[in-house]
Amino acid sequence: MAAENEVIYIVAGDEMQKLFAKVFPDYQTIPFREDFSKGSCDGVCFNEKMIADRASFWGVAKEAYLAKMSPIIDLDLSRTYVLTFGNDSCCAANLKFMIGFLKCKGYAKPIRVRIVNEYDLTVLQEYTC
């Protein structure tokens, strides 16, 4: 298992990233900036059609969507990630997508998941899949 300072936490958006910076200032984070509980999504790997469809759904240019999602799309699969989300419907949909995305990309490490209280980051559930 990687040391905590080598782990990158994929967190539920910009607000959770800000909270992480306050509570765990030494942790590396990447915000997940989507809400897959809204609209439709075919598949779990980003491709041209999916990007165009999601950008259209949100009413933004494809380039803006890509800029927002590139930290996720361009993950370095040699790194160790912990998916850190809350337990609402948005987070559940995004977590499901992220697990599928990592598997689709061939992520070879166990996928670590932490379900947290979104206001104080208390761990509510932790598992590996």
Side-chain angles (χ1 to χ4, degrees):
M1 185 175 284
E4 282 304 311
N5 64 347
E6 296 174 4
V7 171
I8 299 173
Y9 292 81
I10 296 174
V11 301
D14 293 321
E15 292 305 312
M16 188 178 285
Q17 185 178 42
K18 290 176 192 173
L19 184 56
F20 253 83
K22 289 178 187 173
V23 177
F24 304 113
D26 296 331
Y27 285 20
Q28 296 180 61
T29 59
I30 297 173
F32 188 86
R33 297 176 172 135
E34 239 293 14
D35 181 355
F36 282 111
S37 70
K38 295 183 171 98
S40 63
C41 178
D42 296 327
V44 292
C45 276
F46 288 96
N47 58 41
E48 288 295 320
K49 181 181 181 335
M50 180 196 169
I51 291 165
D53 289 349
R54 293 303 292 176
S56 176
F57 173 78
W58 291 114
V60 299
K62 188 173 102 172
E63 295 75 20
Y65 184 86
L66 275 171
K68 190 185 227 186
M69 294 306 295
S70 64
I72 298 297
I73 294 169
D74 299 331
L75 287 175
D76 175 353
L77 298 180
S78 70
R79 303 296 304 267
T80 299
Y81 298 102
V82 176
L83 307 181
T84 308
F85 290 89
N87 58 6
D88 62 9
S89 61
C90 171
C91 285
N94 291 343
L95 175 60
K96 180 180 177 184
F97 177 86
M98 253 333 284
I99 291 169
F101 175 69
L102 288 173
K103 289 179 179 179
C104 172
K105 295 288 282 183
Y107 186 66
K109 298 179 182 197
I111 299 172
R112 294 172 53 196
V113 175
R114 283 191 185 156
I115 306 301
V116 299
N117 176 308
E118 294 181 67
Y119 300 102
D120 65 12
L121 302 178
T122 301
V123 177
L124 305 174
Q125 185 180 11
E126 190 167 3
Y127 58 92
T128 302
C129 53

